[in-house]
Amino acid sequence: MTELTASHWGAYEWSLDAAGAHLLRPYGADPDPSPIGLSMLDAYRSGTRVMRPAVRRSWLTHGPGTRTDLRGQDPFVEVSWEEAHTLVAQELQRVIARHGNEAVYAGSYGWASAGRFHHAQSQLRRFMHAIGGCTVHSQTYSYAAAEVLLPHVVAPMTELEVFHTSWDVLARHTSLVVTFGGMPWKNAQVGAGGAFEHRLRSGLNMVVEAGCRFVNFSPVRADLEVSADDVLEWIPLRPGTDAAVMLALAFEVIRLDRHDRDFLSRHCVGFDSLHAYLSGRTDGVVRDADWASAIADVPAQRLRTLALQMCQPADGGRCMVNAAWALQRAEHGEQPYWALVSLAAVLGQIGLPGGGFGVGYGCENGPGSPHGLLQPGPRLPFAPNPIASVVPVARISDMLLNPGGAYQFNGLTRRYPDIDLVYWAGGNPFHHHQDINRLRHAWRKPSTVIVHEQVWNALAKHADIVLPATSTLERDDIGFAYREPVVIAMKAKLPPPGIAQDDHAIFAGIAAVMGFGDAFTESRSPLKWQEYLWEAWRERLSADGVAAPDFATFRKDGLWRIPVISGHGAVSPVMLSDFRRDPEGHPLKTPSGRIELFSHTIAAFAYEDCPPHASWIEPTEWLGGALAQQFPLHLISDQPANRLHSQLDFSAHSLAAKVAGREPVWVHPEDARLRGIANGDVVRLFNARGACLAGAVMTEAIRPGVVKLSTGAWFDPQDDAPQTLCKHGNANMLTRDAGTSRLAQGPVAQSCLVQMERFTGPLPELSAFDLPRFVGRTDA
């Protein structure tokens, strides 16, 4: 019998062969399935799994706060679930009694589950809010700067993301796509709740076959691949200069007198201020094609020609401009997204079929979907957080290193809480966070670190109490994702390894020790919870005129194909079409109700690092600056092709892409020749923050002076020195831990300069996937 399971990288069919062996195949209705999930089966049965609760020896022997400098080195003592629940409960009670709930940081950043019930962040917050609350994070590493900026300018990022104009509409109406950072297929393999119908390649092919042309500004050619090379132009600009190019294109459109005055007048505010900046009336600097050419190292004449083509695409179609999320993960990362919206506003096609802008085509599977939107999906309820302590997710090290310190954020002055306990369930900060050497130092501050983990990664090895969690294949759930055509009844396929439990069971055990177990579970098993969530969602759908099956039928059938209902959830959407048609009747959520090319709100903040209109601001680290003399290579740390972030880095699919066991780094042949590097050599990348080893892959598909090292290689320190070497190739050994600006305080990973050399010493032995050392209680 074939059944379905769901994951972030897709749906897969599960069956048994004649000998009773488990088989995993791509979902037959997926037109372009990702191979990532096919390695789940072997990976989740591998020796990297956490099998039993484990406690760091020094913590268990001498108590909280003992030798926190030994996190990552100390051996572990395995204990029973009964003892683990008691230790966690007592430590939470101790910290709250002594320091208050604000001293507990509940970390849950990551794509913990495609299922809606076993969503680690929801389970964690349900538990933490029930014990009086905790400090939590705001924003995402993916698009933190955009999350804060765009509500001031046009609309919340989460709304824009799910209402992108669909591929079929682009095919009918778009003649030219100008994209910054491309639309990479590797990123579109995944979706936050699952990617059950991978559509980027088919969407791009549909648009190409309709006669559309593409221009891709990116240091990496592979950021956009289409079925016909003659319709794609690659312009390899300097990394971090996209805002300058966009502003110059806007100015050239205005100079041609092709800007849409009516749209700018009726749908926007602040054009006069933006125009004064572009034309040089404010400071004498004209932001034209020649100006941008010197900054971005692209031909000025090509920019002038492109500006004309954007206002008058071939065949009378429209122009879509798109920006990858990576652009705003940089110093002053707010600016390229503001410049993108400003450029689209000047062209005047926002809200029209095939025109306007995109903030993430190709960044995951969702944008461009033609399917209707049923929201919200089934979700676990939890009470509001009684504690108002919130810290931007990219400022975790700052928080730990500067308790009580003040910082600016979105017009407010906040103070970092004094954290004594970190509780992490879902995600891996030793993957996501910048400057891991700094994070390791900060990680010593809390008295206790508790984690739920499936595998012995760096997060688990740097914890005090490790609680073994089950994987997607080992639990029942409901697979739901926005703008996907089906909802999947996920059924457990494998027994848990060792005595691992799902997050809900772990929290239920701790809650029982603390005296509120029944209140936490409401006397429901996980399957009964799923039935409860499904039926509540089904009732909401019925009120909207959508008939869904009952839970028993859904489980029996294995999936529910969402019906196409005219007018429901904007099938084949056109982003901002209602606003375009009637800006008074459908105003935006901005202060003016219109697109804000100049923001009086941001102007009142008086941030020098975030002006009140889109601007080009020179970053600290870029190839046009003085630091490039010492570190002459710009590092791109992008999403990997063979895994999601650091998930399944230990799988056969991810390991097959390694070079000499290390993460591959792309380097242009000329840069390799200058350094005596051959294809396949192990190289050392370094800067003042740290160093890592990687395997060289020579390619002309990258701009000279740029190297690309994808994120997600499990952190594998050579030693415990403050400036240790990662033997495995973790890119965040090199990236800078700073905020995009005082507005958003997002990550700046893409503003990073490095040097590279061939590694000539004895190769250190890899240990990223090794288990920690275990000792018996008598040894503790």
Side-chain angles (χ1 to χ4, degrees):
M1 179 180 178
T2 298
E3 295 181 333
L4 288 177
T5 191
S7 67
H8 300 305
W9 35 85
Y12 297 90
E13 297 177 357
W14 183 280
S15 62
L16 298 174
D17 66 13
H22 298 286
L23 298 176
L24 206 58
R25 297 188 180 92
Y27 173 40
D30 187 344
D32 187 21
S34 166
I36 294 175
L38 295 175
S39 62
M40 279 192 297
L41 179 58
D42 291 335
Y44 285 142
R45 295 188 292 188
S46 73
T48 59
R49 295 297 298 273
V50 183
M51 308 290 281
R52 295 170 184 81
V55 185
R56 186 171 66 87
R57 178 174 63 181
S58 296
W59 192 99
L60 183 64
T61 304
H62 302 293
T66 303
R67 293 302 308 271
T68 60
D69 60 313
L70 290 181
R71 289 188 182 125
Q73 303 176 72
D74 240 356
F76 284 87
V77 179
E78 293 184 327
V79 301
S80 68
W81 271 117
E82 181 181 12
E83 183 173 6
H85 291 152
T86 300
L87 288 171
V88 172
Q90 290 176 344
E91 180 59 1
L92 284 166
Q93 290 166 332
R94 180 193 72 82
V95 171
I96 291 170
R98 182 173 296 183
H99 306 289
N101 287 74
E102 187 180 80
V104 177
Y105 180 79
S108 186
Y109 184 86
W111 300 40
S113 172
R116 292 302 86 202
F117 175 71
H118 291 294
H119 179 244
Q121 186 175 118
S122 298
Q123 294 286 349
L124 177 65
R125 293 193 173 180
R126 179 176 173 84
F127 174 84
M128 286 293 175
H129 296 182
I131 63 173
C134 56
T135 295
V136 296
H137 79 265
S138 64
Q139 307 155 268
T140 67
Y141 287 98
S142 294
Y143 45 64
E147 282 181 274
V148 178
L149 172 76
L150 289 179
H152 291 293
V153 175
V154 57
M157 180 68 173
T158 49
E159 292 184 11
L160 295 174
E161 186 182 1
V162 297
F163 283 109
H164 270 65
T165 301
S166 60
W167 292 111
D168 57 314
V169 173
L170 295 181
R172 292 194 297 272
H173 298 282
T174 308
S175 294
L176 177 64
V177 172
V178 178
T179 182
F180 295 82
M183 300 177 179
W185 168 83
K186 63 183 177 60
N187 294 17
Q189 292 180 92
V190 303
F196 310 146
E197 180 188 79
H198 289 89
R199 61 184 69 89
L200 176 66
R201 276 200 273 230
S202 60
L204 284 172
N205 290 343
M206 187 191 316
V207 176
V208 168
E209 289 167 6
C212 183
R213 291 180 53 251
F214 293 80
V215 176
N216 181 27
F217 287 90
S218 174
V220 182
R221 182 193 296 271
D223 279 342
L224 179 58
E225 298 173 302
V226 297
S227 55
D229 290 342
D230 61 334
V231 303
L232 170 60
E233 178 183 4
W234 176 40
I235 303 180
L237 82 175
R238 277 185 181 140
T241 62
D242 307 83
V245 172
M246 295 176 197
L247 292 169
L249 288 170
F251 177 76
E252 295 296 342
V253 170
I254 296 167
R255 182 149 66 180
L256 290 167
D257 197 24
R258 300 299 298 269
H259 53 300
D260 190 325
R261 287 184 171 84
D262 181 66
F263 182 84
L264 290 166
S265 172
R266 188 180 179 201
H267 294 82
C268 304
V269 296
F271 173 69
D272 289 344
S273 297
L274 175 65
H275 189 205
Y277 171 75
L278 295 178
S279 64
R281 294 201 308 271
T282 57
D283 58 6
V285 178
V286 179
R287 274 81 183 182
D288 61 4
D290 293 311
W291 167 81
S293 174
I295 293 170
D297 191 27
V298 296
Q301 184 54 46
R302 182 65 192 102
L303 295 182
R304 283 189 285 269
T305 304
L306 180 60
L308 178 59
Q309 294 169 336
M310 293 173 76
C311 355
Q312 189 178 13
D315 304 323
R318 297 193 173 104
C319 176
M320 170 65 68
V321 290
N322 176 68
W325 295 349
L327 269 60
Q328 49 82 66
R329 292 196 295 268
E331 190 172 8
H332 312 302
E334 297 85 359
Q335 300 311 314
Y337 266 38
W338 206 343
L340 178 84
V341 176
S342 301
L343 172 58
V346 166
L347 290 169
Q349 297 179 13
I350 294 173
L352 295 176
F357 65 92
V359 285
Y361 285 108
C363 292
E364 63 171 349
N365 191 53
S369 171
H371 299 295
L373 179 68
L374 300 182
Q375 64 169 328
R379 60 179 60 182
L380 184 71
F382 50 82
N385 191 356
I387 300 297
S389 181
V390 182
V391 176
V393 69
R395 304 273 55 80
I396 292 172
S397 290
D398 281 1
M399 172 187 71
L400 296 175
L401 291 170
N402 301 290
Y407 68 98
Q408 300 292 311
F409 174 75
N410 199 18
L412 302 173
T413 298
R414 292 179 172 179
R415 292 195 175 274
Y416 290 120
D418 189 352
I419 299 299
D420 194 53
L421 186 150
V422 171
Y423 198 124
W424 209 283
N428 179 6
F430 285 84
H431 153 70
H432 277 104
H433 207 72
Q434 279 64 65
D435 195 347
I436 288 181
N437 278 321
R438 186 170 188 256
L439 175 66
R440 291 178 89 200
H441 179 62
W443 209 246
R444 296 173 178 176
K445 194 271 177 186
S447 294
T448 300
V449 176
I450 302 168
V451 304
H452 296 194
E453 252 306 339
Q454 300 170 350
V455 288
W456 280 106
N457 57 18
L459 174 62
K461 291 174 182 176
H462 284 79
D464 298 309
I465 301 176
V466 183
L467 306 177
T470 54
S471 75
T472 296
L473 298 180
E474 296 146 8
R475 55 201 184 202
D476 298 314
D477 215 327
I478 300 169
F480 169 86
Y482 294 137
R483 294 206 174 276
E484 293 293 338
V486 297
V487 186
I488 292 175
M490 301 165 62
K491 298 177 184 178
K493 304 302 180 186
L494 297 176
I499 58 172
Q501 297 181 349
D502 61 62
D503 296 302
H504 182 76
I506 295 172
F507 285 124
I510 301 166
V513 175
M514 299 179 76
F516 67 100
D518 290 342
F520 178 78
T521 65
E522 297 186 21
S523 300
R524 295 189 184 98
S525 68
L527 197 59
K528 284 295 183 182
W529 262 114
Q530 291 164 47
E531 181 178 12
Y532 172 80
L533 301 180
W534 177 271
E535 294 299 339
W537 185 50
R538 180 176 172 231
E539 187 174 332
R540 295 195 301 271
L541 292 177
S542 178
D544 287 341
V546 180
D550 61 32
F551 185 70
T553 303
F554 168 63
R555 288 280 295 178
K556 178 179 177 293
D557 293 345
L559 63 78
W560 174 50
R561 183 164 293 280
I562 299 170
V564 176
I565 300 176
S566 178
H568 184 83
V571 176
S572 294
V574 174
M575 192 165 74
L576 299 174
S577 58
D578 289 342
F579 167 69
R580 172 74 187 224
R581 183 181 65 257
D582 182 5
E584 288 77 26
H586 295 276
L588 302 177
K589 296 176 183 178
T590 61
S592 65
R594 294 188 281 176
I595 295 171
E596 304 222 347
L597 304 181
F598 179 98
S599 168
H600 289 284
T601 301
I602 294 177
F605 299 161
Y607 293 154
E608 294 90 351
D609 56 1
C610 188
H613 54 71
S615 306
W616 157 252
I617 309 172
E618 182 175 337
T620 305
E621 297 189 26
W622 72 300
L623 292 176
L627 192 62
Q629 296 179 16
Q630 183 181 3
F631 299 109
L633 298 172
H634 193 116
L635 174 67
I636 300 293
S637 51
D638 61 346
Q639 165 67 20
N642 296 302
R643 57 183 178 267
L644 169 59
H645 300 308
S646 65
Q647 289 189 39
L648 296 185
D649 189 32
F650 56 98
S651 71
H653 185 62
S654 180
L655 294 175
K658 307 284 184 180
V659 176
R662 275 79 182 171
E663 190 66 18
V665 57
W666 285 18
V667 55
H668 192 275
E670 180 61 18
D671 292 319
R673 184 190 65 78
L674 291 172
R675 292 163 177 81
I677 294 168
N679 203 52
D681 280 351
V682 174
V683 297
R684 175 177 172 263
L685 293 99
F686 62 95
N687 58 21
R689 290 178 288 271
C692 68
L693 301 184
V697 175
M698 294 169 56
T699 174
E700 293 187 347
I702 193 167
R703 176 191 164 100
V706 178
V707 291
K708 184 176 81 72
L709 179 66
S710 295
T711 59
W714 281 15
F715 174 51
D716 192 9
Q718 185 173 35
D719 49 42
D720 199 46
Q723 293 293 103
T724 192
L725 169 81
C726 176
K727 301 176 288 183
H728 188 213
N730 189 303
N732 278 325
M733 297 299 293
L734 305 160
T735 54
R736 181 175 170 225
D737 187 16
T740 51
S741 77
R742 286 179 288 172
L743 181 77
Q745 295 287 0
V748 301
Q750 303 299 352
S751 297
C752 180
L753 295 180
V754 301
Q755 180 57 287
M756 182 173 63
E757 63 186 11
R758 189 165 65 89
F759 187 76
T760 57
L763 275 178
E765 186 176 346
L766 292 164
S767 53
F769 307 119
D770 292 353
L771 299 181
R773 187 163 61 94
F774 296 100
V775 296
R777 184 174 293 276
T778 56
D779 301 317

